[in-house]
Amino acid sequence: MSSTEIEGSPGTSMHGVTGREPVLAFSVASPMVPTDKTAHFDLPVDSEHKAKKFKLFSFANPHMRTFHLSWISFFTCFVSTFAAAPLVPIIRDNLNLTKGDIGNAGVASVSGSIFSRLVMGAVCDLLGPRYGCAFLVMMTAPTVFCMSFVSSAGGYVAVRFMIGFSLATFVSCQYWMSTMFNSQIIGLVNGTAAGWGNMGGGATQLLMPVLFEIIKSAGATPFTAWRIAFFIPGWLHIIMGLLVLTLGQDLPDGNLSTLQKKGEVAKDKFGKVLWYAVTNYRTWIFVLLYGYSMGVELSTDNVIAEYFYDRFDLKLHTAGIIAATFGMANLVARPFGGFASDYMARYFGMRGRLWTLWILQTMGGVFCILLGRATSLPVAIAHMIIFSIGAQAACGATFGVVPFISRRSLGIISGLTGAGGNFGSGLTQLLFFTNNNHSTGTGLSHMGIMIVACTLPVAAVHFPQWGSMFFPPSKGVVEEQYYIKEYSEEEREKNMHLGNIKFAENCRSERGNRVASMATPPHA
């Protein structure tokens, strides 16, 4: 195959192909690969052995078992990262924290994972998501226990920074789902896994005050009770790490290291994977977009309980319950965003996914502005709920598009996008929630304006094979051309591109209602 036969821009990356399934060419000639007729899965699969059905309450191995291990481990990390937020009124009295200290701790809690998410992306691409997820969850357990021994403002900020490293499990979560589920349902699956994981930010608003009250009623002083409460999320880290390590599986056909030893999955080079991630302009647009969907959600998790507690003179427990509804909306909001992305793609293709993302994220920004200006409790709660639905659904819609940017560099692009969420959160907290000159409500309004403005670049995202919000696809460019461009002539001679061909064939549904996904192999 000559290099002149391949046109279009470079695209996306992901492991998960054994090289044993049949390759069906569309416009670009490709060699036929024999079918493994011994392969059997509990769910119907496509040519990459990715599940074509999503059964939420199933534990079918490996697809649904991976789904549940992934979201629960991410949920655990969210609980521990934001466990301090609902207890701030107690902790600030114990440690004599100023508003600046509290704001800096909030920035620190989401800044730690900027670096760890970048590293996790490379780990997923090169070692697999199972090792990445399990080791990170267990390595951050000691930092959660350390919160019980903090005695100063500096220690409080430092420990929250280190616990925040655990949020990189988001990258392994999204990467893992993309290796296990077909592109037609990836928005819903990614949205549900991440949404249920993010729900930990709401659950901890309920869990930690309850644990605090139970421990205090058992005889502990308030300043001792909040410290003991942190042992619970610490032990959850250890338990989930062991479960992921023992029960998890990298790919539908086995673990990445095992398949590489058998020669069924080619070992990629970090330099190549990184290059195709950072030179694809779509990557950086989604880093910005996620910074003002997921980023604002993280920022709000840190300040929303304090906002209601101070602004409306509520009890700590009451403020915690109201704040919990913001994070708990992830139960349905983020999956809805992913579902909406998939649904619109069936009729309008990738262009439908992009419009869905813009509408949801802009709606969230508008109601964030209104939340900061609310003067009554019922109105503030209503605006908060609509804001949360918009922002969280936009997160789901974002990762309805990210898996299509590049197959070869999926892990690093997911890591960069996830890090963008944390960077956006740290930046907004630094700009709007650490300054004593204006209130938390004013900070929320300013953050809403940033959301609306930073969502506009989605209009610049153009896939030559599918088009953009305002422009149709480029003439003569098909899916295979976009994805094979990631491999050099030498790499194509080694058949390293075969996985991308299969992926491209399964992505034709992104043209809209003109074409359906490939049929399930007869042996599956």
Side-chain angles (χ1 to χ4, degrees):
M1 183 184 300
S2 66
S3 59
T4 57
E5 294 175 317
I6 309 301
E7 301 175 356
S9 306
T12 92
S13 149
M14 177 173 61
H15 297 297
V17 179
T18 65
R20 297 176 293 170
E21 306 85 358
V23 180
L24 306 176
F26 181 66
S27 296
V28 182
S30 59
M32 295 297 293
V33 181
T35 301
D36 180 3
K37 297 185 181 297
T38 63
H40 293 281
F41 297 93
D42 294 333
L43 299 177
V45 298
D46 63 15
S47 61
E48 295 179 277
H49 293 174
K50 296 179 185 178
K52 297 176 66 177
K53 287 187 178 180
F54 179 53
K55 295 184 177 180
L56 186 59
F57 300 107
S58 166
F59 286 88
N61 191 35
H63 304 93
M64 294 310 303
R65 179 188 292 180
T66 297
F67 167 79
H68 290 295
L69 287 172
S70 186
W71 81 260
I72 295 173
S73 59
F74 185 37
F75 176 94
T76 300
C77 294
F78 241 92
V79 167
S80 59
T81 299
F82 296 100
L87 300 179
V88 160
I90 307 300
I91 298 174
R92 69 184 177 189
D93 292 340
N94 188 188
L95 302 179
N96 297 317
L97 303 179
T98 64
K99 183 175 181 179
D101 294 330
I102 296 170
N104 290 334
V107 173
S109 69
V110 296
S111 298
S113 63
I114 294 175
F115 172 75
S116 63
R117 286 187 171 191
L118 294 174
V119 173
M120 179 65 83
V123 169
C124 287
D125 274 327
L126 302 176
L127 300 178
R130 182 176 66 102
Y131 280 149
C133 179
F135 290 156
L136 181 61
V137 171
M138 288 192 287
M139 285 192 295
T140 50
T143 65
V144 182
F145 290 126
C146 283
M147 183 60 83
S148 301
F149 305 102
V150 166
S151 59
S152 66
Y156 175 70
V157 173
V159 171
R160 290 207 65 187
F161 174 78
M162 291 186 289
I163 295 174
F165 274 66
S166 67
L167 290 183
T169 48
F170 165 78
V171 177
S172 61
C173 173
Q174 299 294 271
Y175 182 95
W176 223 344
M177 297 305 94
S178 297
T179 64
M180 290 287 179
F181 293 91
N182 176 263
S183 60
Q184 281 195 307
I185 59 172
I186 193 58
L188 174 62
V189 177
N190 267 342
T192 305
W196 285 20
N198 287 356
M199 199 167 58
T204 197
Q205 302 278 357
L206 297 173
L207 175 65
M208 297 307 290
V210 169
L211 289 175
F212 170 77
E213 292 295 340
I214 292 174
I215 296 169
K216 189 174 71 170
S217 65
T221 65
F223 289 174
T224 301
W226 74 262
R227 297 174 183 275
I228 297 174
F230 273 88
F231 278 87
I232 304 302
W235 277 108
L236 288 177
H237 271 242
I238 295 174
I239 293 169
M240 281 312 304
L242 293 173
L243 288 176
V244 169
L245 195 61
T246 56
L247 300 179
Q249 180 173 310
D250 288 317
L251 308 170
D253 293 288
N255 287 317
L256 182 61
S257 59
T258 302
L259 295 174
Q260 287 176 336
K261 289 177 181 177
K262 293 180 180 179
E264 296 174 349
V265 172
K267 289 186 177 181
D268 217 333
K269 295 181 179 179
F270 174 72
K272 292 278 190 178
V273 175
L274 179 63
W275 173 255
Y276 285 109
V278 299
T279 57
N280 192 320
Y281 80 93
R282 301 167 192 84
T283 300
W284 301 107
I285 291 178
F286 276 87
V287 169
L288 174 64
L289 290 171
Y290 204 61
Y292 285 90
S293 57
M294 184 61 191
V296 299
E297 181 184 346
L298 295 175
S299 296
T300 307
D301 280 334
N302 270 322
V303 303
I304 195 66
E306 183 186 10
Y307 168 71
F308 280 100
Y309 179 83
D310 292 334
R311 181 153 187 159
F312 299 104
D313 196 25
L314 302 178
K315 294 181 179 179
L316 178 63
H317 183 62
T318 304
I321 292 175
I322 295 173
T325 61
F326 181 86
M328 294 298 286
N330 273 295
L331 178 66
V332 294
R334 188 155 182 162
F336 167 75
F339 171 78
S341 181
D342 291 339
Y343 183 82
M344 294 297 286
R346 291 188 198 127
Y347 295 94
F348 306 104
M350 178 57 68
R351 301 176 76 180
R353 291 187 187 273
L354 296 173
W355 272 105
T356 299
L357 172 56
W358 179 80
I359 291 170
L360 290 171
Q361 192 155 322
T362 301
M363 180 185 76
V366 169
F367 279 91
C368 181
I369 296 171
L370 296 175
L371 170 62
R373 298 180 178 181
T375 56
S376 69
L377 182 60
V379 171
I381 293 173
H383 289 163
M384 181 197 71
I385 292 173
I386 300 174
F387 160 45
S388 69
I389 292 172
Q392 292 160 12
C395 293
T398 297
F399 274 85
V401 179
V402 166
F404 299 98
I405 296 176
S406 168
R407 185 182 187 280
R408 188 174 191 178
S409 306
L410 175 63
I412 290 182
I413 290 175
S414 297
L416 285 168
T417 305
N422 290 82
F423 180 80
S425 176
L427 180 63
T428 53
Q429 288 188 72
L430 196 61
L431 292 175
F432 307 132
F433 302 111
T434 58
N435 193 335
N436 289 319
N437 295 329
H438 58 70
S439 67
T440 303
T442 301
L444 287 169
S445 291
H446 290 168
M447 185 170 71
I449 295 171
M450 288 282 286
I451 295 169
V452 174
C454 292
T455 304
L456 295 175
V458 72
V461 176
H462 183 273
F463 289 90
Q465 72 276 38
W466 298 316
S468 60
M469 285 176 65
F470 297 105
F471 298 99
S474 304
K475 291 183 178 180
V477 179
V478 294
E479 289 80 1
E480 286 84 350
Q481 294 170 325
Y482 177 79
Y483 290 113
I484 297 175
K485 190 71 173 180
E486 295 183 314
Y487 291 91
S488 66
E489 181 68 26
E490 180 182 355
E491 289 172 326
R492 292 198 294 272
E493 289 176 357
K494 297 177 182 179
N495 290 330
M496 292 180 66
H497 68 297
L498 297 185
N500 277 30
I501 293 179
K502 297 180 183 71
F503 182 71
E505 291 163 350
N506 288 315
C507 288
R508 290 181 193 145
S509 58
E510 295 308 305
R511 301 174 186 178
N513 56 15
R514 294 172 294 161
V515 65
S517 178
M518 292 176 62
T520 300
H523 63 275

